[in-house]
Amino acid sequence: MSEKFYITTPIYYVNDAPHIGHAYTTIAADVLARYFRAEGFDVHFLTGTDEHGIKIVKAAADKGVSPQELADEVVVHFQDLWAKLNISNDDFIRTSQARHEGRVQEIIRRLIERDEIYLGKYEGWYDEGQEEFVTESTARDNEYKSVISDKPLVRYSEPSWFFRLSKWIPKLIAHIETDSTFVQPTSRRNEVLSKLAQGVEDLSISRQSEKLGGWGVPMPNDPDHSVYVWIDALSNYITALGMPGIGDEFDAKGDKYWPADVHLIGKDILWFHAVYWPCLLMALDIPLPKTIFAHGWWTCEGKKMSKSLGNFISCEVLSELCGEYSRDAFRYFVLREVTFGADGDFSREAFGRRYNTELANDLGNLLSRTVNMIGRYFDGAVPKPQQRTLEGVEAEFLSEPIKHLQDESAKMMSRCRFSGYIGAALELASATNRYIDATEPFKLAKDPSQRERLGTILYACAEAVRIVLSYLEPFMPEKSAEGLAHLGVSGVSDGTLSERGRFGLIEPGTKTAKSVPLFPRKLLDQ
Ligand code: ME8
């Protein structure tokens, strides 16, 4: 039976349409899903929308519609964008779905049974944009405004159900300390640990339903209260799998895919995922996810994205960029430009430059050069090499980068080192370009006595490009398939990615197609 891989994105709020930030996390998750599928794993990839909470209630009221109407309208923008970006999710959960709501109530029932919640009173500050409780000292330090949106915090004073969060903190700290892969990257893990060391109080997990206009999941033991939107939202990672008797037996999907292998999130919501979620799971006696990876934040053209500044990368702008450069180039760029985990800046100029240098020049040119030479010198049939292994000059240029890809790609993917992984594939493309410059097949073609040698060189080039395109497939599924079709080797796609990444698989005599630029060069503004 194949090994499983369960990957999730955050479920996004439906108060507004998606933008580049949402696209970023979802593309990264898609790349992992495609990579692990290509390596033969049984992958389950979940994304969705977070539709409850005061933020949605207020956004709907501002638009004069009901929260459900707003959710129904906005969810389509997310689903359309994911289709546009070729996202291969296996499921899409909406927190207003009955399958989710019923299971959230089941989770609360279970917490009640285990004496994990009690009735108290919440008195304090709340950031309605973040749906987050704010301590007195943090509120004071930021002049009672949201650290994120700068909007005034709201004072809450109401009865509320509390989860005994503090009781689980020592166990959580021990887990984070012993399992270095649980919270990644390391800098974020250290941040969580140092904040935990300052002490954590029990967590208010319900809101008065009337304040939410009845929108949300009712507490099963107290219909005047709705479940706090973060408890509701975090639960999606298990409710989507189904869990009739949570903690005892999941249904078939739950049994198969839980625990999640990676919860991919932005750094803004790390605390919820690294503290509230594992403590809830421990209280429910459900195994913890293996990794929570918090990536960095995008600014655009050097500034925080804002509609009024005109630097907002909305779904319309994303569509336009994908139209101009191809969606694969966009997927590639966002994961190549910034080390995953660090903050980054999106600029059209940087996109254009990287597109031209890496995709049009290094990769696209290599493919056209190879296909054109095979066309011109061997009538469009991959020549027979002197040997189908790497020897001599071929080995000198190509062995090391191929070996590096084979040895390191799995490690890099499992640590979300997307840019490094792409870099390793590009290094093979560059090495192949250097190899062509050094061996000068265009000169050898003039000398009939060098025909065998020429065949060996072009065979090696075809194999190297095939390997590069195969490894880049999770990032650029369409361009990779197109490029492989130029080489005439779409058929060499049996087996796992690592198997396909071996040198010497193309059958001599394979007919190549006519080469058209895979990434046409762009004229960029100076
Ligand atoms: O927080 N740069 O939803 P949300 C990078 N519903 N990533 C960004 C980004 C940016 N500028 N802006 C947004 C919520 N993101 C909750 C989640 S999960 C159980 C509930 C991405 O719509 C990033 O992944 O505010 C961030 O964590 C997420 O969108 C926040 O999406």
Side-chain angles (χ1 to χ4, degrees):
M1 215 177 65
S2 55
E3 215 177 315
K4 66 90 189 174
F5 184 77
Y6 178 30
I7 167 94
T8 68
T9 72
I11 49 171
Y12 306 110
Y13 287 128
V14 287
N15 60 306
D16 214 343
H19 56 65
I20 190 172
H22 306 113
Y24 181 53
T25 322
T26 312
I27 292 171
D30 187 60
V31 166
L32 287 176
R34 287 177 186 273
Y35 172 81
F36 281 97
R37 274 188 213 116
E39 284 295 30
F41 283 66
D42 176 355
V43 170
H44 192 69
F45 170 16
L46 175 71
T47 188
T49 42
D50 188 354
E51 306 189 350
H52 293 138
I54 192 73
K55 180 175 170 127
I56 309 301
V57 170
K58 290 200 164 170
D62 287 348
K63 291 192 171 127
V65 295
S66 71
Q68 187 69 65
E69 283 167 335
L70 177 68
D72 290 346
E73 183 195 319
V74 176
V75 72
V76 178
H77 294 294
F78 280 94
Q79 289 168 334
D80 283 354
L81 183 61
W82 301 158
K84 234 170 241 167
L85 292 171
N86 207 2
I87 301 301
S88 62
N89 52 300
D90 298 293
D91 193 3
F92 188 102
I93 188 161
R94 300 180 57 183
T95 54
S96 63
Q97 286 168 338
R99 65 164 169 163
H100 173 75
E101 294 189 350
R103 288 165 188 164
V104 169
Q105 289 193 316
E106 185 57 40
I107 287 173
I108 302 290
R109 263 186 228 113
R110 180 81 176 201
L111 291 173
I112 295 168
E113 252 171 56
R114 299 181 156 230
D115 191 29
E116 290 291 347
I117 67 175
Y118 61 92
L119 189 61
K121 185 174 177 202
Y122 182 74
E123 175 80 57
W125 298 102
Y126 195 71
D127 179 342
E128 292 192 335
Q130 289 299 101
E131 298 280 10
E132 184 172 8
F133 303 100
V134 181
T135 60
E136 183 61 38
S137 60
T138 308
R140 195 175 342 112
D141 292 350
N142 209 46
E143 295 170 346
Y144 301 95
K145 288 191 201 143
S146 163
V147 188
I148 305 285
S149 67
D150 233 25
K151 290 199 180 131
L153 299 176
V154 182
R155 186 82 189 165
Y156 277 23
S157 172
E158 58 184 50
S160 173
W161 290 90
F162 283 80
F163 164 53
R164 299 187 197 282
L165 175 66
S166 52
K167 150 181 159 189
W168 294 100
I169 299 299
K171 200 170 165 194
L172 174 69
I173 293 176
H175 183 70
I176 299 177
E177 278 173 345
T178 41
D179 183 349
S180 64
T181 58
F182 182 57
V183 178
Q184 292 187 48
T186 310
S187 54
R188 300 273 165 235
R189 170 175 175 252
N190 295 341
E191 243 173 63
V192 170
L193 282 173
S194 65
K195 200 169 159 197
L196 281 170
Q198 293 164 25
V200 178
E201 291 175 359
D202 285 348
L203 176 68
S204 160
I205 59 153
S206 73
R207 293 275 77 81
Q208 283 183 305
S209 311
E210 58 170 2
K211 296 199 173 142
L212 296 161
W215 183 240
V217 180
M219 289 288 284
N221 57 336
D222 185 349
D224 292 341
H225 287 242
S226 299
V227 177
Y228 169 41
V229 65
W230 266 102
I231 301 301
D232 171 350
L234 289 163
S235 305
N236 92 89
Y237 301 129
I238 52 176
T239 63
L241 298 179
M243 33 147 229
I246 47 158
D248 297 331
E249 42 173 335
F250 279 66
D251 79 0
K253 246 199 241 164
D255 266 342
K256 188 150 139 207
Y257 295 116
W258 191 262
D261 291 83
V262 186
H263 287 319
L264 219 53
I265 57 168
K267 65 178 184 180
D268 55 325
I269 54 176
L270 177 59
W271 186 251
F272 303 96
H273 283 80
V275 179
Y276 299 168
W277 181 227
C279 288
L280 271 171
L281 289 168
M282 289 191 282
L284 291 163
D285 200 19
I286 294 179
L288 303 189
K290 291 186 194 153
T291 292
I292 296 157
F293 196 110
H295 64 66
W297 212 240
W298 284 91
T299 52
C300 288
E301 309 292 349
K303 296 193 196 78
K304 186 175 167 187
M305 258 199 305
S306 124
K307 288 186 181 161
S308 56
L309 286 177
N311 65 344
F312 195 82
I313 310 283
S314 61
C315 20
E316 290 77 20
V317 178
L318 289 171
S319 290
E320 178 218 314
L321 288 167
C322 291
E324 191 179 347
Y325 288 94
S326 78
R327 59 185 178 183
D328 278 1
F330 179 77
R331 291 166 56 102
Y332 171 96
F333 175 73
V334 286
L335 292 175
R336 170 67 170 147
E337 180 73 356
V338 181
T339 302
F340 204 66
D343 292 338
D345 184 59
F346 180 87
S347 91
R348 282 175 186 260
E349 196 205 325
F351 185 14
R353 241 185 300 119
R354 204 179 269 284
Y355 173 92
N356 273 349
T357 46
E358 294 183 354
L359 293 179
N361 287 1
D362 294 349
L363 177 58
N365 258 350
L366 172 63
L367 175 67
S368 335
R369 277 172 112 181
T370 305
V371 174
N372 285 338
M373 286 192 284
I374 294 175
R376 202 170 315 139
Y377 309 137
F378 289 92
D379 256 352
V382 173
K384 185 166 179 306
Q386 288 152 308
Q387 70 284 323
R388 275 168 82 164
T389 47
L390 287 165
E391 315 277 340
V393 193
E394 286 66 55
E396 195 185 304
F397 280 88
L398 306 177
S399 287
E400 191 47 46
I402 292 178
K403 187 171 175 335
H404 182 64
L405 257 177
Q406 280 168 346
D407 293 351
E408 299 298 318
S409 53
K411 240 179 274 164
M412 289 192 277
M413 273 295 180
S414 59
R415 291 177 194 162
C416 299
R417 296 205 184 131
F418 302 114
S419 189
Y421 176 107
I422 293 176
L426 278 189
E427 177 44 35
L428 176 56
S430 304
T432 315
N433 277 317
R434 289 196 296 274
Y435 166 70
I436 296 177
D437 295 343
T439 52
E440 301 184 311
F442 30 88
K443 284 197 184 151
L444 298 185
K446 294 179 188 142
D447 178 353
S449 73
Q450 294 292 328
R451 189 132 179 97
E452 274 205 336
R453 179 79 198 115
L454 179 65
T456 300
I457 293 170
L458 294 185
Y459 184 86
C461 292
E463 271 300 74
V465 195
R466 183 185 64 76
I467 294 170
V468 175
L469 288 170
S470 302
Y471 273 101
L472 289 178
E473 178 192 273
F475 297 85
M476 304 195 288
E478 289 172 316
K479 290 290 180 186
S480 163
E482 233 180 278
L484 290 173
H486 292 186
L487 280 173
V489 295
S490 331
V492 189
S493 57
D494 296 341
T496 62
L497 178 51
S498 328
E499 284 161 2
R500 283 182 277 136
R502 289 200 320 264
F503 186 90
L505 299 185
I506 298 187
E507 280 308 319
T510 300
K511 282 302 236 182
T512 58
K514 206 172 152 44
S515 168
V516 279
L518 197 56
F519 300 102
R521 259 190 89 80
K522 296 285 170 199
L523 274 176
L524 303 177
D525 297 337
Q526 287 313 301

